[in-house]
Amino acid sequence: MKKLFGTDGVRGIANQELTCKLAIKIGQAAAKVLTNGTADKPKILIGKDTRISSDMLESALLAGICSCGAEAVSLGVVPTPAVAYLIKKYKADAGIMISASHNSYEFNGIKLFDKNGYKLPDEIENKIEKLIAEDNFTASTPLIGNAIGKITKCDAALDDYTDYIANTVKSFTRRLKIAVDCANGSASATAEKLFKKLNADVTIISSSPNGININDNCGSTHLESLKKYVTDNKCDIGIAFDGDADRCLAVDETGEIMDGDILLAICAKDLKEKGKLKNNTLVATIMSNMGLKKFCLQNGIEFSQTKVGDRYVLERMLESDYSLGGEQSGHVIFLDYSTTGDGQLTAVQLINILSNSSLKASDFRKLIKKYPQKSLNINIKPSQKGIAAKSKNINDYIKNITNELGDKGRIVLRESGTEPKIRIMFEHEDESKLDALLTQAKEIVENNLE
């Protein structure tokens, strides 16, 4: 059996790669591994995004969980971080989110959380994979009668979660004009409720999910419509979430993008000034712009980098007692408030900082001077997975180009953990060199994939 878990759960085309049969097995294996040693009737929460396949996969997961004697609580459509938060609030034993995050609607995914609301470490994922491969979930006889679990629905999830996020700030000092793009995803169920609780002047867009329009020319991966809305309507700031609202990007009043690196810089500076940046350190991944590292150096902030994936950022934060970390893509973790990346929590913190200042969003955007950066993706076949990492020619090229670039630039070449792609990214102080560098790298990779 090929490896199921990528950098963010199990993901694939729904009903083709991520089938109902597999979802049942994941539900059964998760119930066994994540609730081992708990009460006779352990409780597992399940949330989902707005994809057409989410109902189907939820039904399969619920069946798998109940067949192993666990109780399943359906939260309905909620953001991924809502599941993580509500696990502890509801004293559950584990949680599952059905979502493929920023991917298009035909994809879906299954993300697992432990009893403390954290994504699973590799060793626990490996236990679940092994159990699925063995296809051995029950004892010699199946559970029957009252040993079977049951399903309940939770109607309080949206209010409990949005109340918590709203209470992380006192109130917005300055009433800003805000546009919020919900990506026709999970935030469609929570964003308006959240910002109304904060008495914000907010307009919600891309908040009419129909099962197939999630992330479709909207949200954090397609910012064009938000940029236009912000500038046309003279908003102070625009906020964009992805399909499951664990990411947040922003657009300033001029329509310029504020990516995760910029949001991390803004929040790190604010926390440092308040004496709340634990161990005076910001955690980011190797994909973060070199400008963020220089910003930290200039502001007396330690900078720690991990491999790509918010789970690895979180691991570093937990290991060393850091309070802020995240990714350029918009996953931002405020460990004092959340156990995972939370787009709406990030938005509330960002707007709170802006509202307590006389500066414009564009002034905050200019806090860091970013190196020009370009990237491209190379689609790969299933048979080509893992080849790039093992190729001597590709690794020799990376070593040579790294030496050649020196401190003027860098390359990041990696296989995606969520899509069948190889991602190549270059940074260079001279933007005119980026296209040639990418063309050269693309040719070398494609020539060495067979």
Side-chain angles (χ1 to χ4, degrees):
M1 185 182 76
K2 70 175 185 178
K3 184 169 175 57
L4 291 176
F5 288 90
T7 54
D8 197 14
V10 180
R11 197 171 296 192
I13 296 175
N15 219 29
Q16 178 178 308
E17 298 162 331
L18 184 52
T19 62
C20 291
K21 183 177 180 181
L22 178 57
I24 289 173
K25 289 184 176 182
I26 292 172
Q28 291 173 320
K32 284 288 185 183
V33 173
L34 296 179
T35 65
N36 185 35
T38 60
D40 289 340
K41 288 287 186 181
K43 182 164 65 175
I44 300 177
L45 308 185
I46 296 189
K48 60 185 175 183
D49 71 14
T50 58
R51 291 163 210 273
I52 194 169
S53 60
S54 290
D55 290 346
M56 174 187 76
L57 293 172
E58 180 188 35
S59 297
L61 282 163
L62 291 170
I65 289 167
C66 291
S67 73
C68 286
E71 305 285 6
V73 180
S74 174
L75 303 177
V77 172
V78 294
T80 289
V83 176
Y85 165 68
L86 293 171
I87 289 169
K88 292 194 76 174
K89 180 173 178 61
Y90 295 163
K91 296 180 173 57
D93 299 286
I96 301 176
M97 179 66 185
I98 303 164
S99 175
S101 191
H102 60 283
N103 292 152
S104 51
Y105 81 95
E106 68 271 19
F107 288 88
N108 217 325
I110 296 173
K111 306 181 185 186
L112 304 178
F113 295 88
D114 67 16
K115 64 181 180 180
N116 295 310
Y118 292 115
K119 290 181 180 178
L120 305 184
D122 291 341
E123 59 267 25
I124 301 300
E125 289 183 345
N126 291 338
K127 284 184 180 179
I128 291 172
E129 285 199 12
K130 184 179 179 183
L131 201 56
I132 291 170
E134 291 172 352
D135 203 13
N136 179 24
F137 303 103
T138 60
S140 55
T141 56
L143 298 178
I144 60 173
N146 64 2
I148 296 170
K150 62 181 180 180
I151 301 166
T152 57
K153 291 188 176 182
C154 177
D155 296 325
L158 297 179
D159 275 321
D160 286 341
Y161 169 68
T162 53
D163 282 347
Y164 177 72
I165 299 301
N167 287 331
T168 62
V169 297
K170 292 180 180 178
S171 63
F172 295 150
T173 304
R174 183 161 55 109
R175 199 160 193 257
L176 304 170
K177 189 174 183 181
I178 306 162
V180 174
D181 183 336
C182 294
N184 291 314
S186 291
S188 303
T190 53
E192 186 171 15
K193 185 185 290 283
L194 171 62
F195 284 99
K196 279 187 174 178
K197 289 178 181 185
L198 291 166
N199 194 31
D201 179 6
V202 63
T203 300
I204 307 292
I205 64 174
S206 299
S207 185
S208 301
N210 61 14
I212 63 174
N213 62 357
I214 188 170
N215 300 314
D216 185 14
N217 292 315
C218 59
S220 62
T221 50
H222 302 281
L223 292 165
E224 294 76 18
S225 58
L226 178 62
K227 290 165 70 173
K228 186 176 187 307
Y229 188 92
V230 167
T231 53
D232 286 353
N233 293 277
K234 295 182 171 53
C235 296
D236 294 298
I237 193 167
I239 299 294
F241 304 120
D242 64 339
D244 65 338
D246 64 351
R247 297 187 189 194
C248 171
L249 295 183
V251 172
D252 72 18
E253 79 282 359
T254 70
E256 292 295 316
I257 295 172
M258 302 168 71
D259 67 9
D261 286 343
I262 294 173
L263 304 190
L264 285 169
I266 293 168
C267 295
K269 187 172 185 291
D270 180 72
L271 288 174
K272 180 179 172 65
E273 289 170 353
K274 293 175 178 175
K276 294 182 177 180
L277 186 64
K278 285 185 180 176
N279 289 311
N280 195 40
T281 300
L282 172 64
V283 184
T285 76
I286 57 171
M287 291 302 290
S288 279
N289 194 280
M290 291 170 70
L292 180 60
K293 186 175 183 178
K294 289 199 172 185
F295 164 85
C296 288
L297 182 64
Q298 291 162 357
N299 286 273
I301 297 170
E302 298 294 324
F303 187 63
S304 178
Q305 282 186 289
T306 72
K307 60 184 178 180
V308 176
D310 63 326
R311 59 186 289 191
Y312 302 113
V313 172
L314 177 62
E315 284 177 8
R316 181 71 53 81
M317 294 171 72
L318 290 170
E319 286 168 3
S320 304
D321 194 27
Y322 300 140
S323 55
L324 180 66
E327 297 185 284
Q328 188 184 64
S329 60
H331 284 121
V332 179
I333 303 171
F334 294 87
L335 203 51
D336 289 340
Y337 298 121
S338 180
T339 56
T340 189
D342 189 325
Q344 287 169 107
L345 173 61
T346 303
V348 166
Q349 301 305 310
L350 175 66
I351 293 167
N352 189 52
I353 293 168
L354 185 57
S355 76
N356 282 307
S357 167
S358 60
L359 298 176
K360 295 179 179 179
S362 58
D363 296 319
F364 281 99
R365 175 177 56 81
K366 295 170 186 173
L367 275 176
I368 72 173
K369 184 179 180 182
K370 300 186 71 174
Y371 274 53
Q373 190 179 78
K374 281 192 177 182
S375 60
L376 60 78
N377 296 323
I378 299 173
N379 293 323
I380 58 173
K381 305 169 188 174
S383 61
Q384 295 173 321
K385 286 183 69 67
I387 290 179
K390 298 173 184 175
S391 167
K392 183 179 184 302
N393 288 343
I394 293 174
N395 284 303
D396 284 348
Y397 164 73
I398 293 171
K399 189 182 300 180
N400 292 336
I401 197 68
T402 298
N403 290 334
E404 183 182 319
L405 293 171
D407 62 359
K408 294 182 178 180
R410 67 185 182 117
I411 180 177
V412 177
L413 192 155
R414 66 183 185 88
E415 189 173 302
S416 170
T418 58
E419 297 178 276
K421 299 176 188 293
I422 289 173
R423 306 194 192 281
I424 306 172
M425 185 276 288
F426 273 102
E427 274 178 7
H428 202 284
E429 61 183 20
D430 183 353
E431 188 171 6
S432 67
K433 296 184 180 296
L434 292 175
D435 287 333
L437 288 167
L438 279 172
T439 299
Q440 179 190 50
K442 181 175 185 287
E443 183 178 342
I444 287 170
V445 170
E446 288 179 338
N447 287 342
N448 287 278
L449 278 180
E450 298 303 328

